[in-house]
Amino acid sequence: MKHIHLRTLDVARIGLGTMGMSIAYTGAGSDDAESIRTIHRAIELGVTLIDTAEIYGPFVNEELVGEAIKNRRDSVILASKFGLVSHVGGGPWTLDSSPANIRTSLEGSLKRLGTDHIDLYYQHRVDPSIPIEETVGILGELVAEGKIRHIGLSEAGPDTIRRAHAVHPITALQSEYSLWTRDPESKVLPVLRELGIGFVAYSPLGRGFLTGAIRSIDDFDDDDSRKTNPRFTGENFQRNLRTVDEVKAIAAEVGAMPAQVALAWVLAQGDDIAPIPGTKRVARVEENIAADEIQLTPEQIDKLTSITPAAGDHHTEEQMRMIER
């Protein structure tokens, strides 16, 4: 697989998101053995960047990834995240980037992942109660101690990115980006490129919608997070099906699967962007990684860029308030 650099960090340009193996999506946590096989197959096919977080579960996804990369640690660029679990009383889904909480979070992640260092450690969401300079200062100390190798941010806004990078070089920003989530293009990506920061795109397949396989939410479990996602509900869902049909039509021209074309479009946006499509199945990871070989023509890229925009926000109202702070 082709490689790119996230600032100075060399990674295969398609990574693997592991969240859905444990939470949020239908079937999560139902077949850990298949999830581990999926991680192993991804590594065999050249994937290096494996992405997890302490909030995924919480904790169980890091344990799963730790089991999967046992005896394969040297083949993996391991990424995890802190800041959505407070270990001083707030518990899961509580913003906490206080220095003590960061250190507690990291020690727990290292233990669950079975490693002495994390290659790319992200602040999962900006904590408005803690100056970003203080947060990055602690992370810089952890780099000096050898417990993390690179610092990342997730869903941070341009001003926060600049302030953070002034304290310690930021290696990557992770935010949602896909054919129908284009928010970072106008303000965030230009800042990243100015500062030489890489971009990791999560949900590059629109939470599975852009695969073309989802035609009804009736197939989702009741606790599937997509049941409350604005793009999967009501009239938005029906409108977005039509957008997906546009992607399918272009994929037919290319002679590839819709998911592969959607990933190829993301890859075509720059050699500083690494999408991390998530899956818990070997067949899907093989399909996704095959996107590395697809060469879209300028005309096909233009068609994809011009597809009908998605209807509805890409997160719930509460989650949207935590983005681009």
Side-chain angles (χ1 to χ4, degrees), residues 116-132:
D116 63 355
H117 72 279
I118 291 173
D119 298 293
L120 179 55
Y121 199 44
Y122 295 98
Q123 182 189 41
H124 209 151
R125 291 291 185 273
V126 174
D127 181 352
S129 69
I130 305 291
I132 194 65

Side-chain angles (χ1 to χ4, degrees), residues 47-233:
V47 167
T48 57
L49 183 59
I50 307 292
D51 186 270
T52 182
E54 68 169 350
I55 191 60
Y56 299 160
F59 312 130
V60 295
N61 190 250
E62 286 185 324
E63 293 170 353
L64 176 72
V65 171
E67 178 66 24
I69 65 172
K70 192 181 299 181
N71 304 319
R72 292 172 169 82
R73 179 67 181 91
D74 292 342
S75 302
V76 168
I77 301 298
L78 186 58
S80 193
K81 311 177 199 72
F82 71 90
L84 284 178
V85 179
S86 175
H87 296 276
V88 292
W93 302 109
T94 301
L95 286 171
D96 190 344
S97 286
S98 62
N101 198 64
I102 293 172
R103 288 187 173 275
T104 300
S105 294
L106 177 61
E107 292 304 322
S109 292
L110 292 173
K111 182 176 181 180
R112 289 185 291 273
L113 291 164
T115 186
D116 63 355
H117 72 279
I118 291 173
D119 298 293
L120 179 55
Y121 199 44
Y122 295 98
Q123 182 189 41
H124 209 151
R125 291 291 185 273
V126 174
D127 181 352
S129 69
I130 305 291
I132 194 65
E133 291 84 357
E134 185 174 341
T135 297
V136 176
I138 294 298
L139 294 172
E141 292 178 9
L142 295 172
V143 171
E145 293 168 18
K147 293 184 177 182
I148 65 176
R149 300 284 171 83
H150 297 266
I151 298 172
L153 303 174
S154 182
E155 294 287 12
D159 180 61
T160 299
I161 295 167
R162 289 185 185 280
R163 290 165 52 203
H165 192 68
V167 175
H168 188 285
I170 302 300
T171 293
L173 176 82
Q174 181 178 142
S175 293
E176 185 168 348
Y177 185 56
S178 70
L179 272 172
W180 69 348
T181 301
R182 310 279 287 281
D183 307 52
E185 290 180 343
S186 62
K187 296 180 180 179
V188 172
L189 270 171
V191 171
L192 298 182
R193 286 169 172 159
E194 175 192 335
L195 300 176
I197 299 170
F199 185 47
V200 175
Y202 77 83
S203 292
L205 299 177
R207 295 174 177 78
F209 218 141
L210 295 174
T211 67
I214 297 170
R215 307 305 292 184
S216 171
I217 63 170
D218 292 338
D219 297 331
F220 294 162
D221 291 344
D222 289 341
D223 60 353
D224 192 308
S225 64
R226 292 170 292 189
K227 281 206 164 183
T228 57
N229 185 290
R231 293 188 176 173
F232 288 79
T233 56

